[in-house]
Structure formats: C-alpha cells, structure tokens
Amino acid sequence: MKMLLLFCVVMQQVPAMPDTLVVEPPSAILNVGATQQFTARAIGADGHELEGLSSSWFIREAHVATISSSGLLTAHAPGTVRVAVVVGGRPAYATVEIVQLPVHELRPVMPSVTVYEGLRVPVKVVARTELGDVVHDLELDFRSANRRIARVDAQGLVSGRAPGQTVITARADGRQTDIPVEVVANPAVGYQIAQNRVNIRHGDVVRFRVFGVARDGAQVDGIYARWQVSPDGAAIVSDGSDGVFVAQKEGTYTVTATMGEDVHKSIVVAAEPRRYNARLEKVGRGPADTHHSGDMWVFEGTDGRDYAYVGTYLHDWMTVWDVTDPAAPVLTDSLQLDARRINDVKIHGSNRLAVVTREGASSRRNGIVILDLNNPAQPSILSEYTDTVTGGVHNVWIEGDLVYACHNGTNDLHIIDIADPAYPREVGRWGLEKRTKTLHDVIVQDGYAYLSYWNDGVVTLDVGAGTHGGTPVQPAWVSSFSYPEGHTHVAWRHGRYLFVGDEIWPPGFDADSPIEATGYVHVLDMTDIDHPQEVARYEVPGAGAHNLWADQDRLYVGYYQGGLRVLDISGELSGDLYLQGRELAHFLTTDNRTMVPGWPMAWGAQLFKGHIYTSDLNSGLWVLRLEEALVVP
C-alpha cells in the first residue's frame, strides 16, 4: 500500500506535457527600437491551460532582433524574423516584421558642389532616423531648381548644362535638404586617366584619377568620374574624385571613367610573388580543459617576472600564470570572485593594479574588482566598485588612472577614477541618446575612445585628443559608422585605419559543443575622422572574428574556430584582403587538453616581448611566435 501511495505521489509530481502550444501575439509589426512581449500558452490534452512549465525563446536572425528569456523581443534592424519558443519539448512560432523608422534628418556629404559644364558630379546624402540610425538603401527624390543650369538623375548624378548657380533638393519621407550647385565653364578639350603606380600586382591598391587637357595644353583638375572595371577579378570604388582599384588575381583589365563621356585605360596585373615565408609556431601552453577561458592580459610584474591573467566564461575565477619562461607557463594561483563570468582583465600602467570585470554575481552587484599586484603571482582583492555599474561590466580600458567601463545595465560608458584604488569613484559618463542600445567594448588610443556599440556601429569620441573639445572625463562626439549586419564587437586603431570586428554566435549555442561563429573585420579609413569610410574587409570563410591587436603593419585576429590569424596590413588597403592573399599565417589553437575536442575558439591576441599570447575559449592559454623571413627573388 505504501509503495502504491509513493508511486501515486511521484506520478502527481511529473508535469503534464502540452498537447497544444500557442504564441501570443502570433504576429507583429514593429518599428526599429521598439519592443514586444511574447507569451506562450501551453494547453493539455484535456483543453486546460498548464501552469509552471519553463519556456525557451529563440530568434535565428539575431542581427534583426533579440529576445530575452522571458519572451521580450527588441527590434534592432529592418527585416522579418521568426520567433520560436519551446515548452515541454513542443515548439511554436510567431512572425515579426520590423520596419525602419521614417527619415528624421537628411544631410549632404558635401555642403556644396562645383561641376564643369558638360560633366557630371555625384551628390551624396546621409539619412538618419530619430534614433540616429543611418537609413541604408533609401530611395531619394532629387530635383534641380533650374534644369537649364544643371540636371540631376535618380541616383543623384548632377550634370552641368550651362554656367550659373542653382540648387539640388533631395527629399525622402517628408524631409529635404538643399545642396547649392555652381556650374562653371569647362576649359578641357580632352581627358586622360592618370595612375599612381605602373608595376601592378594582385593585392596592390592603385589610385586612378581623370584630368582634362585645355587647348593650350594646361591640365584641368577637379573632375569627378564614375569608375568601372572589367572583366571580373578586380574591383574599383570611388573615393572623392579618385578611383581606387585592386585586383584579386592577375590579368588584363580595362578601367573606365565616366563623367559625361567615357575614357578607358588598359592595365596589366601580374601575380604577386610571395614576399614572406611566414608561420606561427607554438612556444608554450597553459592548458585549461575543465572550464572555459575568457579574455587575458600579459605584463611584467613588480617582481621582474612575467604574468598572464586569464578570465573565465561561465565560471567564477581568474587564473594566474607565470610566463617568465614562455615555453613553460606555470599556474601560480586562481582568484575566486562572486561572478558567473570574468570576461575582461586589464593591468594599470604602474603594473601594481589590475581591473577585472564581473557579470552574473549572486548578489546582483557586479561592477569591477580592483586587484593589488604587490605579489603578482598571488594577487589579492583591494577594492570593488559597484555603485553605478551593478548590472555587470563586460569590457574595460585603463587610461592613466581612469577606467572606461562598458556597463551592461545602462549600456553607457562609465568613467571611474582609481587614483585612490581603495576608494574608486565615478567621474564621468557618456552614452548614445536612445532607448535601445548595447555597448560591448571600448578602447582608448591617442586621445580618442572607440566604442563598439553593437547594432549602432563604432562610435568615436574625443577624450583628450583636443580636436572636438573633449576631455578624459567629458567625452565629446566625433563620428560614428554603422553597417546593416550589426554585431559591432571590437575596434582597434592602427595608422589611418580603424579595424572593426563583428561577433555573431548562432542562437541557442552550447558552450560545451562546437560553436559556428561568423562575422568579419571591417576596415575603416579614418583620414577624415569626422566621416569614416569602409574601404576593405578581412573575412575568413567558415569562421568568426573576435578580438584584435595590431603592431608593425601586422594585424593579429583571434578568429574563433579559425584560430589565430596574422594579416599583412602594410600600404593602402582596399577590397577583400583575404582573397588578395594578405594573410601571412594562421594557427589552430586546439589540442588534446580542451573542453571541446578538435574545435578551436581563439579569443584574441596580445604581443609581449616578442611572443604572441592568446586565450582560447575551450583550451586556455597559448604562447606563439611568428616566424617570418623576407623572400629574396
């Protein structure tokens, strides 16, 4: 009788499984930036609604929208997404159409235009929504106030008809902007194409421009052209009046400039001989096969020895490795914190302090933890700062005595003074003025802060450069650059270029299984820092980009399942850097000491005393060396 009663009790504790699962609402139309709460109703075979069942929500198109564990959807970009929920093993779906907000502002890239009679000049207009998002692929209505002086086509190409002045108006969504145009007499009787290099090999960037020739033989400059190249195998894009050409393979190409009439030039591209014999070699290992590793930092301690501090993912400690002998790292300590993730580790310039970030604390007071490094082999907790960053900090950057912290709660940049490390205090804050935003990372270089703002792209701030009135504690806006894919994860400035990495993980991933990450590196030309321009890309097939480091015309990328990659970034960059063969070497960071056999997940790279240090999500610390020798023809 007792056995039967126990059996009945156990049977009563097993929850009933749903016979029908209903998502409410079944469909929705939202503007970018809006939210929608979804619920799931589980109905049993008897027609009654079941209570107490857990639900799991998913969206595959994470660059368009995301959804929380409670079913709250946030719209990020235009598109259509399918919301999936699973309750008791049964799935159900809803459809959401996300539409862009209307245009709030139109602004011309050039405030005025001068065009020669008989020639053409393109006008470009940037459209932004009320949230500040750039509206891509917008159909603009262009009109000329005086067609006898200048005409304009649907693409914004202005044709000079007769000397004089007029206005070109661009309209969209009830907004408009005016661009003054002056047409001047054209002294040219013929045209020629010039180029800045003659011996061209694939991967070389060549700049073309058109100039006119007057009757007296004088050169006429300031001529704009539309550029084309044929056949396939090369690309050319406009940069002001220049055409920027690069070929992925050898061959003979025809470059065409169109500016009212066509001018052609034939060029020969030779195969690029291999300039470097390069390879990445393993030097040492700090294996971690019982937990997932996070970001890391390498430094020389006050005791004269070298150390690598490595954070953890889905764990609550930071590991300390003595890497004085990089071929034989030694684990000297592991510092436990109240956290579910210690994503970032940074070292103060004095090498006497460290800042580590916390997420998922049981107390729900995350923030940052400041470590005393008087004994760097066994660091101790000096203080914590949680007052204004309780929601968790994902990444930080230390500049002088200031910590620039990316707060998960406000998604603002919080500036924390640690001059007195026992009593840190917030002294400044900056954030995008919009409701829906995600701040992921920050780096400060030469007085500029580069904020990776996920679906809002990369934002540049003056934090002491002196160009836009900003100070280290009162940042000033400089510019931003976004792209439809979103997932702007990290940025690194090197010379004239800003390298910006995406991070895209598949929905519903399992950290203990192979993760098919995607995303690539965008290359922005920052010559005009107020107007960044994307000029190139580095995309490794079948892998996803993560953290970056650049030095001596080499870009080091932790490319997740693609391992650590090294790229030649010397000279001018344009087009597809991977297809151009600029990759020098790569190394797959996996061995038999790993959480996921055969699956590297390289996190990033740091150069230190002639070696490359990287952590791997699945396998811990790696020490590598780049061996390269110039190939003499």
Side-chain angles (χ1 to χ4, degrees), residues 4 14 91 136 141 145 194 224 253 286 316 374 448-449 543 589:
L4 179 60
V14 176
H136 299 276
D141 178 31
Y224 288 81
Y253 297 92
D316 61 354
N374 282 327
Y448 292 104
T589 50

Side-chain angles (χ1 to χ4, degrees), residues 16 53 106 199 309 339 381 398 461 587 607:
L53 296 180
L106 293 176
N199 297 319
Y309 287 2
I381 297 174
I398 305 176
L461 303 177
F587 185 94
L607 272 63

Side-chain angles (χ1 to χ4, degrees), residues 485-523:
E485 299 87 350
H487 296 266
T488 302
H489 166 267
V490 70
W492 187 282
R493 180 74 182 267
H494 182 75
R496 66 187 281 190
Y497 297 111
L498 184 67
F499 297 89
V500 182
D502 301 331
E503 182 187 44
I504 305 174
W505 281 20
F509 68 87
D510 179 1
D512 295 326
S513 300
I515 299 173
E516 296 279 3
T518 57
Y520 61 91
V521 179
H522 304 252
V523 184

